[in-house]
Amino acid sequence: LPHIGGALRCLSLQEVGPTMVGDEHSDPGLMSFLGATKRNMLGNHFWEYYVNDAPRVVLNKLESCGYRVVSMTGVGQTLVWCLHKE
């Protein structure tokens, strides 16, 4: 299964972008399909992929690839969705 970083997260309670969609080990083909950009935030020792789309847009794209939401939670001001590919 393509790796998308284990979770999809949005850093805002407003359901708008940017949406973090993967980590440095994510499948480059899937990240390209999502239109994701790889970046390293100042102070972090890791890379992440993000898109400017709202989470609902990203979730719809992932659903078209066979991913399904397994769970969702809020952590502070971050929303996290866990997905599984059938």
Side-chain angles (χ1 to χ4, degrees):
L1 299 177
H3 178 69
I4 63 167
L8 173 73
R9 63 192 195 278
C10 176
L11 298 179
S12 173
L13 290 178
Q14 310 163 345
E15 294 180 6
V16 299
T19 303
M20 307 314 149
V21 294
D23 62 18
E24 59 202 81
H25 305 290
S26 297
D27 176 32
L30 182 59
M31 295 299 105
S32 177
F33 171 75
L34 294 174
T37 303
K38 191 175 182 181
R39 71 177 177 188
N40 176 265
M41 299 294 287
L42 183 63
N44 288 347
H45 300 289
F46 57 88
W47 291 81
E48 62 189 5
Y49 282 95
Y50 78 99
V51 295
N52 286 321
D53 296 330
R56 63 179 173 76
V57 173
V58 176
L59 290 168
N60 286 342
K61 287 181 180 180
L62 289 169
E63 183 179 27
S64 75
C65 294
Y67 288 90
R68 301 288 178 258
V69 174
V70 175
S71 66
M72 183 270 195
T73 190
V75 181
Q77 291 189 356
T78 301
L79 301 175
V80 180
W81 288 266
C82 293
L83 296 99
H84 175 74
K85 185 168 184 178
E86 300 287 329

